Amino acid sequence: LERLEDIDTVVFDKTGTLTVGQPVLVNVRDIPLRALVVAGAMAAQSRHPVAGAIAAAAGGMPGPSLHQVSETAGCGIEAIADGATWRLGRADWALAAPGGVDGTVLARDGALVARFEIDDRLRPGAAEAVAALRERGLRVEILSGDREAAVRDIGGRLGIGTWAAGVTPAGKVARIAALAQAGRRVLMVGDGLNDAPALVAAQVSMAPASA
């Protein structure tokens, strides 16, 4: 609490912090059924909110047998199925050659199989909270692992002009370290396991009760 009095910068994660953390898959009709089934089976292995949205869209349809399932924080899930290596997660991690593709994708042996468009609602009171922080003279920014379009949209709706998308857990730590090096005293607000390193790095950390 003593440290909290001295902060001058507030850094928010987006999903589950500024938003309600209950994403929904909005382009399910564009995804081939086989791809949705595989992605749903993989997503069921994770507690990440985006994975939950994909698993829910798959509706529990029987999927392939998954082997050697692993999850890389801030990147996604990898598994072996039908003799191929599948990845569900960030395009720049899952694809051998992401090109201009971003957001969450399903890849088979590094090749794009499907892209998932996720939407999330603003958390009630988020706009008022950001406005109140600004009234106190605090600098506010967003660090998110989500795709650029989604982060830009939330930043615009909340009037937060300083934001970064596609940020890994290590990237969040680096940004907080840079702010500290510049003399900033940072409050980090995040809700997920992916935010844990950044929460540790900040001068003060906070998480919603729903985290």
Side-chain angles (χ1 to χ4, degrees):
L1 290 178
E2 293 176 354
R3 291 183 179 182
L4 187 61
E5 185 178 6
D6 294 331
I7 64 164
D8 57 18
T9 303
V10 182
V11 175
F12 285 99
D13 174 49
K14 180 182 73 67
T15 304
T17 305
L18 293 173
T19 65
V20 296
Q22 297 175 349
V24 293
L25 181 63
V26 296
N27 69 326
V28 64
R29 294 183 179 179
D30 300 328
I31 300 170
L33 181 60
R34 174 61 177 169
L36 185 61
V37 167
V38 174
M42 295 178 68
Q45 309 298 313
S46 174
R47 296 179 61 188
H48 193 280
V50 171
I54 294 171
M61 291 183 289
S65 296
L66 303 178
H67 307 281
Q68 301 178 36
V69 180
S70 62
E71 184 168 6
T72 302
C75 293
I77 308 160
E78 180 177 285
I80 304 297
D82 301 331
T85 299
W86 297 81
R87 283 187 169 185
L88 175 67
R90 292 167 56 109
D92 58 1
W93 171 79
L95 300 175
V101 180
D102 66 356
T104 301
V105 303
L106 176 68
R108 184 181 190 274
D109 293 333
L112 178 66
V113 176
R115 184 173 179 274
F116 303 89
E117 294 182 10
I118 307 294
D119 192 21
D120 198 358
R121 293 180 293 110
L122 274 179
R123 180 183 287 272
E128 291 81 359
V130 169
L133 293 171
R134 280 226 179 80
E135 288 177 4
R136 291 174 176 266
L138 300 177
R139 172 177 174 170
V140 180
E141 63 180 78
I142 301 173
L143 292 181
S144 175
D146 204 350
R147 59 194 174 90
E148 182 175 332
V151 182
R152 182 192 301 113
D153 176 63
I154 294 297
R157 289 159 67 184
L158 294 174
I160 301 175
T162 303
W163 52 265
V167 186
T168 64
K172 292 181 181 181
V173 172
R175 174 58 181 165
I176 290 173
L179 288 169
Q181 187 69 27
R184 292 283 176 175
R185 297 178 296 278
V186 179
L187 164 65
M188 175 69 197
V189 187
D191 88 313
L193 291 176
N194 292 346
D195 297 318
L199 291 169
V200 171
Q203 175 164 330
V204 188
S205 300
M206 186 178 296
S210 58

